[in-house]
Amino acid sequence: MQSETIHFYATNPQHMGEIPDASIRYTEHNRVCGDDIEVFMEIENKSIKKWSFTGKASMITIACSGLFGDIVQGVDFETLFSWDQSSIIRNTGITVSPRRQRAQVLALLATRNALHEYLKDGKRDDFSDLHIEL
């Protein structure tokens, strides 16, 4: 079931494409596997009104980013900053091998860092902030 879901979302990516008038756009890299994604967001009242992504990435990253797009719209900043890998698993039902965990959470990491930049709070998260073993 999980592999079918990943295959579906990887070959039919959801939330993929630029938001032309995005409030935020931010690029994140996964240096371990070479995945790159750029996230785009429209912000309203300290929440994510609209979210999308583009990128050159693995099937897992594309699929998990599409699934992430399903759950992140309408989420307020405070809630999003409390999310980690377990939040992604809980909300998508997808678990991956330890080798693929960074791919699973790359969209979350990109979104959190985009919001840090938007808020100009001087913070930058890394995979360990999402409870990924490095």
Side-chain angles (χ1 to χ4, degrees):
M1 173 70 175
Q2 288 188 45
S3 63
E4 291 170 4
T5 301
I6 289 169
H7 184 265
F8 174 81
Y9 273 87
T11 57
N12 302 287
Q14 309 295 301
H15 309 287
M16 189 171 231
E18 291 187 27
I19 298 173
D21 300 331
S23 309
I24 305 171
R25 65 187 298 162
Y26 184 85
T27 302
E28 190 71 56
H29 309 282
N30 178 354
R31 287 167 180 67
V32 171
C33 68
D35 288 353
D36 296 309
I37 67 167
E38 184 171 15
V39 296
F40 304 85
M41 290 176 266
E42 285 183 19
I43 303 300
E44 185 175 280
N45 299 323
K46 292 194 175 186
S47 69
I48 299 168
K49 180 179 178 185
K50 191 172 182 183
W51 185 95
S52 70
F53 76 103
T54 61
K56 185 175 181 183
S58 67
M59 282 183 68
I60 301 269
T61 296
I62 298 295
C64 289
S65 295
L67 286 162
F68 179 76
D70 287 347
I71 62 173
V72 73
Q73 295 182 88
V75 172
D76 65 86
F77 295 178
E78 185 177 334
T79 299
L80 187 90
F81 285 126
S82 73
W83 284 5
D84 60 14
Q85 182 189 20
S86 65
S87 306
I88 300 301
I89 294 168
R90 185 174 50 259
N91 284 294
T92 66
I94 301 293
T95 57
V96 295
S97 70
R99 273 188 78 199
R100 300 306 216 166
Q101 290 177 349
R102 290 176 185 231
Q104 181 181 33
V105 298
L106 189 59
L108 173 58
L109 181 63
T111 302
R112 284 176 52 153
N113 282 330
L115 292 176
H116 285 311
E117 192 171 277
Y118 177 78
L119 295 169
K120 297 178 180 21
D121 63 10
K123 297 179 182 176
R124 177 157 166 70
D125 294 335
D126 63 29
F127 289 104
S128 66
D129 295 307
L130 306 177
H131 300 113
I132 298 295
E133 302 258 342
L134 298 177

